[in-house]
């Protein structure tokens, strides 16, 4: 989970640090405080089972909604070594997230199959040289698709 530039956290770490990280940004001055997050493969790279990641995401959403956030959740975008639809730990985790998150989050975004990120399975034009982290074009696309979900 990427949150406010803290960097990629394992799902369990994001859940455990919710009240010291995200909760402090709940702003009652706005009509709606929005929390957005998506899987980034830090958990799968640490060999956390997909079911454990899903359960952490479900708990994270419940915690955020209980605190008053409107939640937009998403799958992990494809990256080098894990193209869209691949039978990898990340791909298998995305299948679970895709099936469960739309029923519990206020809105859902399937970044794995967004055509800008997954052109031919993985679009190198929106990633840094490492093939994993988004470059400015990738961040711009991410902002655009998330904003579209938030304002609809």
């Amino acid at each position: 989970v990427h949150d406010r530039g803290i960097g990629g956290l394992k799902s369990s770490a994001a859940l455990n640090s919710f009240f010291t990280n995200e909760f402090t940004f709940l702003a009652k001055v706005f009509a709606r405080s929005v929390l957005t997050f998506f899987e980034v493969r830090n958990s799968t790279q640490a060999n956390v089972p997909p079911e454990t990641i899903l359960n952490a995401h479900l708990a994270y959403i419940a915690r955020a909604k209980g605190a008053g956030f409107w939640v937009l959740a998403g799958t992990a975008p494809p990256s080098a070594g894990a193209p869209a639809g691949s039978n990898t730990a990340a791909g298998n985790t995305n299948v679970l997230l895709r099936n469960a998150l739309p029923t519990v989050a206020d809105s859902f975004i399937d970044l794995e199959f967004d055509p800008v990120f997954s052109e031919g399975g993985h679009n190198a034009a929106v990633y840094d040289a490492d093939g994993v982290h988004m470059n400015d074009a990738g961040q711009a696309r991410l902002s655009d698709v998330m904003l579209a979900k938030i304002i609809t």
Side-chain angles (χ1 to χ4, degrees):
V1 176
H2 271 270
D3 55 321
R4 300 182 347 273
I6 290 174
L9 300 173
K10 289 195 306 186
S11 301
S12 58
L15 177 63
N16 293 338
S17 62
F18 175 81
F19 288 106
T20 55
N21 290 339
E22 288 76 17
F23 185 70
T24 59
F25 285 83
L26 182 64
K28 297 294 185 183
V29 297
F30 299 108
R32 157 172 87 166
S33 290
V34 176
L35 185 139
T36 63
F37 78 100
F38 57 95
E39 178 60 34
V40 295
R41 296 193 174 81
N42 291 35
S43 296
T44 59
Q45 292 298 313
N47 297 315
V48 177
E51 295 80 10
T52 302
I53 296 169
L54 171 63
N55 289 333
H57 280 245
L58 294 174
Y60 187 77
I61 291 169
R63 184 167 287 172
K65 289 179 77 169
F69 283 101
W70 184 91
V71 178
L72 167 60
T75 58
S79 64
S86 63
N87 185 18
T88 61
N92 295 333
T93 298
N94 275 345
V95 169
L96 293 178
L97 297 176
R98 184 176 298 113
N99 289 331
L101 298 187
T103 65
V104 295
D106 295 296
S107 190
F108 173 76
I109 187 164
D110 196 344
L111 295 173
E112 182 178 26
F113 290 112
D114 182 283
V116 171
F117 296 122
S118 64
E119 179 182 282
H122 177 259
N123 182 2
V126 295
Y127 290 92
D128 283 333
D130 66 5
V132 175
H133 297 93
M134 292 180 202
N135 61 20
D136 289 346
Q139 292 290 343
R141 176 61 182 173
L142 183 60
S143 296
D144 289 345
V145 296
M146 286 190 163
L147 182 59
K149 287 286 191 173
I150 292 168
I151 61 175
T152 56

